[in-house]
Each structure stands twice: as C-alpha cells, then as structure tokens.
Amino acid sequence: MNYHDYIWDLGGTLLDNYEMSTQAFVKTLANFGCQASHDDVYEKLKESTDAAVKKFIPNQPQFLKTYKALEADYLKTPVLFTGASEVLQVIVASGGRNFLVSHRNKQVLDILEKTKVLPYFTEVVTSESGFARKPNPESMLYLKEKYKIENALVIGDREIDKEAGQAAGFDTLLVDGKKSLLEIVK
C-alpha cells in the first residue's frame, strides 16, 4: 500500500447505498402524494439528502423523518461495493490504519458491524461526534492530530470528500463504484 493511513467515506464509497436510498426516497415521496423519477432522485441524493429534499419536496417538514426511517429499514441489509472488505483487510494486514468519516449517525456502526468490517477501523467519526459536515475538514484534522497522521489518502465519491481531504493536507481519490476498490486503492 502506498499510504499508512486511509480515511474513508461510507455511502457511495464502501457502501453501495444510493440504490437503496433512492428506492426509499421515491417510496416516501409516493406516500406523501408526490413523485419523481428514480434517476433524478438518485442523482440528487448523490449530491446530498438535503439537496434532494429541497428539490422534490421542500415544504413538507415530516418528509425527512419519514424517509430516514424507511431508509434505515432498507439499510438493515447493507451491501458493500466489490473489493471493499478485502481492501480494508489488506491495509490492516500491511500495518496501515483505516478511519471512517460519515455524516450519518451511529447507524454507521451497525452497518459496519453487519458487513463485518468494523474491526478494520481504528476510529469511526459520525454526525454524533459533533464535527462540522464535509467539506469542512474539521473531522479529518481531528484524526490527523489525534493519530499523528502524516501520510494519508482520503477516499470518497463526492467532491466534498475531496475538498475536505485536501483542506486537511491529505491526498484524495474519488471513486464511482464501477471498479473493485481492491484494484484502485494502492
């Protein structure tokens, strides 16, 4: 491996969640008497949940709570991208460390446990850790200082992951889920 430390995003990077999230969002829209195309919702969710809500159902305060509950139900059976578990294992076996920074709540820990990859992480930062959301680098700077990280790669699927990593002084890599993570993370 080319780095000692790897800082991962979860959704769209390790976890193939966009399809499940899209299905939950579209179904919740229907429950609220609205509709949108699967592909339009998928693209907006890749930007952010807030962006999707603002675009498709901005004036319904109960929507987000209802959607998040259904999404959590869909995510009870999480699916990792090809090569995710293996690359995390290879990093640890070669003496490296994995960290995770997610805007999700402690549900992240359940997902990591269900997919059997939680033991590969040195620390997991969630929304409950109290840091500003990416692209603010606050959570990554916290990890950098706490663990004396000097040589790290931040891996994510969105521009905000790249911006946060670069602002913290790390190299970055954006992935799109089309290739095995084992092939592209070095």
Side-chain angles (χ1 to χ4, degrees), residues 21 24-25 28 45 49 63-72:
S21 297
F25 197 98
T28 307
L45 283 175
T49 299
F63 178 84
L64 186 60
K65 182 179 179 183
T66 305
Y67 160 64
K68 283 297 185 181
L70 185 59
E71 181 191 41

Side-chain angles (χ1 to χ4, degrees), residues 2 5-6 11 25 28 32 38-39 46 68 74 80 84 87 128-129 134 139 143 162 180 183:
N2 294 337
D5 296 303
Y6 294 80
F25 197 98
T28 307
F32 278 81
H38 171 280
D39 293 349
K46 282 200 72 149
K68 283 297 185 181
Y74 278 46
L80 295 177
V87 76
E128 294 171 1
S129 301
K134 295 178 274 184
S139 57
L143 292 171
K162 181 178 175 181
S180 168
E183 289 179 63

Side-chain angles (χ1 to χ4, degrees), residues 28-62:
T28 307
L29 279 175
N31 291 343
F32 278 81
C34 299
Q35 64 182 48
S37 81
H38 171 280
D39 293 349
D40 288 347
V41 170
Y42 187 94
E43 286 306 311
K44 263 306 174 194
L45 283 175
K46 282 200 72 149
E47 186 178 324
S48 73
T49 299
D50 288 343
V53 170
K54 284 177 186 167
K55 177 170 174 95
F56 299 111
I57 190 159
N59 300 317
Q60 182 50 260
Q62 290 301 312

Side-chain angles (χ1 to χ4, degrees), residues 86-124:
E86 294 83 357
V87 76
L88 295 169
Q89 187 174 9
V90 166
I91 289 166
V92 171
S94 67
R97 299 181 293 190
N98 292 299
F99 300 91
L100 188 120
V101 174
S102 176
H103 69 274
R104 291 180 180 274
N105 62 17
K106 65 182 179 184
Q107 173 194 29
V108 167
L109 300 174
D110 294 334
I111 291 169
L112 297 175
E113 197 170 289
K114 285 178 183 174
T115 55
K116 299 181 179 18
V117 296
L118 184 60
Y120 299 126
F121 289 94
T122 301
E123 184 165 344
V124 175

Side-chain angles (χ1 to χ4, degrees), residues 13 18 22 32 49 79 81 92 100 114 121 127 157 159 161-162 171 179-180:
T13 304
Y18 285 121
T22 299
F32 278 81
T49 299
V79 177
F81 279 112
V92 171
L100 188 120
K114 285 178 183 174
F121 289 94
S127 62
D157 66 307
E159 199 61 34
D161 301 311
K162 181 178 175 181
D171 290 341
K179 280 186 164 183
S180 168

